[in-house]
Structures are given as structure tokens and as C-alpha cells.
Amino acid sequence: ELGRLKEAEASYKQVIALKPDFTEVHSNLALTLNTMGLKESALKHFERNLQLKRGVNSVNLNDKIFKAITKAKIDHDIEQFEYLAASGYDAKKFRELVSLYKTVSSEINCTLDTDISHLSYKHQCLLGNTYNRPIHILKAPSLDKSAIRDNLDASKITADYFKHEFGLTFIDDFLSPTTLNSLRKFLLGSTIWFDIFHPGGYIGAYLSEGLASPLILQIAEDLRKKLPKIFKNHRLTQLWAYKYDSRASKKNNSFTGIRAHADFAAVNVNFWITPKSANLDPSSGGLVVYNAEAPLEWDFKSYNNDEERIREEIVRCGQRKTIVPYNENRVVIFNSNLFHETDNIQFKDGYENRRINVTMLFGKREL
């Protein structure tokens, strides 16, 4: 955070020499190396973190991440295995996993699809080293040319961003067709959707746990290069993807998206990759950004989780907002200190129709 990257690198490496299986340090070192432009080295430490946390020889085989499950999660995994088998990826293995997971699913007792249950010893033995593990990760290599479309009008985008009171704009046809296709295949086919601890039933994938790939790091860096006046000296600090299933809200009569919050960053980038044909309501399904910043004296828990307090602040600021409807390959770039939330989601059923968004955070929230 002080910008003393070489010292940070040396310190992290010293820790790893003392404790090679310290997962968090591998992740922090990877982010530091990426900031230094050493992407290949960064990817090695992201991979090391993934294997230490989720691999066959995980440092904590008794962690709740291998035991906690929801119906929404196991239904997702069944659909993903069916997709992989149909796509020709080790079809026999994935068909067998479909059958196995359907058996476990039929025996799990949950009132709601989003209720967190715990796998019995019998079910843990049945699933073995497959549940919440990186058993299949597709390659998403970087490109020789920019990952972002060539004819991006940087001057107009920058002007639009600063025209907004706090900083906000959105762009269509964000990624090049090659990038979009590669990233979509990577996110549909990679078994990296481990995070199930969300009330709306959506699931998450994170940079240090399988999401890191040469292509996704290239997108972040190309964005900074194309829009330097917006991103300034802010570097990538965090990156995740969320996958939603509209059926969760239908079954449980609940909202499936992320509620109002702000993020610990300077600039937030949010883009969507699911085909627009999957969206049943073209006027919705995207992002709501309020013209209300999280007060600088608030701590992370307040501006990220205290919904009652957040709503009071939004009302105090006049409840003004920008609604950005969903569109395939649309990116929203905005001041990350602004409160924002997922708009209502109504997408078609089916694995490839699940709404996928990618979020990138740059820089630190100014305190």
C-alpha cells in the first residue's frame, strides 16, 4: 500500500521461505508481482494459492469450504458437468459426476435452495476430491493484440466519466469478439465457482482461487492503458466473478443480486458476458449506481454490509441514481465509493443463460 513493491516482494518471499504453505502470502505476492508487471510470476503464485487451498493436498482438508453446500450450488455443479460432457471435455468422467451429484442432491435436506447444509460423512466420501475443487480449468491465454476492442473512443469515454457528478460511464462492445468468446468459455467450463455464502444464492469465483488467467490480467492492464485519465496510477487490487440463477428468486421468492454497498477501491469496473438473448427484461438485469458516496469515516463493515445505514445515507443524498440495464459485453466504470447494487434479474433458465458479471477493483478508497 505504500508503493514499496520491491520491499514487499522481498518480505513475502522471506515469509514463504519460512512457511511455504502460507496461502494468503502467495496471493498477496501474486498481486504485488502483477502490479510490478511480472504477470507470469504472479500467475504461478495465484496457482500455488489455489492448490494449497483447494487442491488434492489442501493444507486444511477439514475446512468448511469442502463440507458446506446448498441446493443452488449442487444444481449449478450438475449443470456445469452436463455442459462439460456435452462440450466433449472428458465426457465419461463428467457424466459419471452428474449421476453421483444427482444422487447426493436428492438426499440433501434444505427448505430453501439457498440454505447452507453440511455434507454428511457418507456424502463427503461419495464426492471425494471433486466437490469445490479445481478439477477442470480451461486455458484463457493472453492475446497478441489488445483484449479490448480497437475502436474504443477514449476521449469521449473519459469526458463522459467526468461529466458525471462523482465519476461514472458505461461502454458497449467492450471486449474484442475473440476476448469475449475466450473468457465466456473459461468461465462456463472452469470449476472455480467455490463461494456459496450469499443470501441471494449467487456463487462467486475469485482471482486467487482459480479466476486468475493471462487473459483476465491482460483485460485489466489494457483498460488502464486505454483510459489513463480515469485510472491514473491505480493498479488492480481485486477481481471476482459472480454467477446468478434467476430460478433461485422464483423458487424462494427472494432477490438474487447484491444489495447496496460500496467497495474498498478508487475505481470499479463491472462487465457482463452472458448473451443478451438470455435476459428476459432488456430494461433491467444490470446495475443501479446511486449518487451517494460512502462517508469516508465509515469503516468497511458499515459501507459494505450495513444495509439499513446505507439506505439512510442514500435517502439523505436524495436517492438520485443511474440505472444501467444489462447488455452483453457492456462495461460500467464508476467511482467505487458510490453505493451500488444489482438491478432486478430475470434471465432464461439453463446453464449458459446464467447471468455472469466480472468485477475489477483498482486503487484504494481515499481515507
Side-chain angles (χ1 to χ4, degrees), residues 4 47 108 110 151 157 173 220 241 245 250-252 276:
R4 291 155 56 185
E47 174 64 18
I108 289 177
C110 292
N151 59 343
I157 293 164
D173 300 319
D245 184 0
K250 293 175 191 172
K251 290 178 183 176
N252 306 320
K276 64 180 180 180

Side-chain angles (χ1 to χ4, degrees), residues 266-317:
V267 181
N268 188 308
V269 173
N270 198 301
F271 60 94
W272 307 307
I273 68 158
T274 305
K276 64 180 180 180
S277 58
N279 184 15
L280 294 172
D281 182 1
S283 69
S284 185
L287 192 68
V288 179
V289 184
Y290 293 93
N291 280 29
E293 286 188 294
L296 292 178
E297 65 271 17
W298 286 18
D299 59 18
F300 178 81
K301 186 177 180 181
S302 296
Y303 64 76
N304 200 260
N305 294 308
D306 191 339
E307 188 173 3
E308 183 178 351
R309 195 176 181 190
I310 290 168
R311 293 293 175 191
E312 289 173 355
E313 184 65 21
I314 289 171
V315 169
R316 192 188 70 79
C317 294

Side-chain angles (χ1 to χ4, degrees), residues 9 12-13 66 77 152 180 206 226 246 277 315 323 345:
E9 177 192 8
Y12 286 138
K13 286 183 174 178
F66 301 126
D77 288 1
L152 199 97
L180 180 63
Y206 296 92
K226 283 188 178 285
S246 296
S277 58
V315 169
I323 299 176
I345 299 171

Side-chain angles (χ1 to χ4, degrees), residues 150-178:
D150 293 332
N151 59 343
L152 199 97
D153 190 339
S155 297
K156 183 181 185 305
I157 293 164
T158 302
D160 288 345
Y161 180 88
F162 289 108
K163 194 184 296 180
H164 184 275
E165 181 181 1
F166 297 98
L168 180 149
T169 191
F170 64 91
I171 314 158
D172 282 326
D173 300 319
F174 167 54
L175 302 173
S176 73
T178 302

Side-chain angles (χ1 to χ4, degrees), residues 64 68-73 112-116 193-206 240-244 248 252 254-259 261 304-305 342 357:
K64 68 176 182 178
I69 198 164
T70 64
K71 287 284 283 184
K73 163 65 173 169
L112 299 176
D113 283 9
T114 54
D115 287 348
I116 293 176
W193 301 93
F194 305 132
D195 179 16
I196 64 170
F197 302 101
H198 300 284
Y202 59 89
I203 54 178
Y206 296 92
W240 62 78
Y242 286 139
K243 190 186 286 188
Y244 304 77
N252 306 320
S254 63
F255 177 62
T256 57
I258 303 174
R259 299 192 181 277
H261 68 288
N304 200 260
N305 294 308
T342 312
N357 81 273

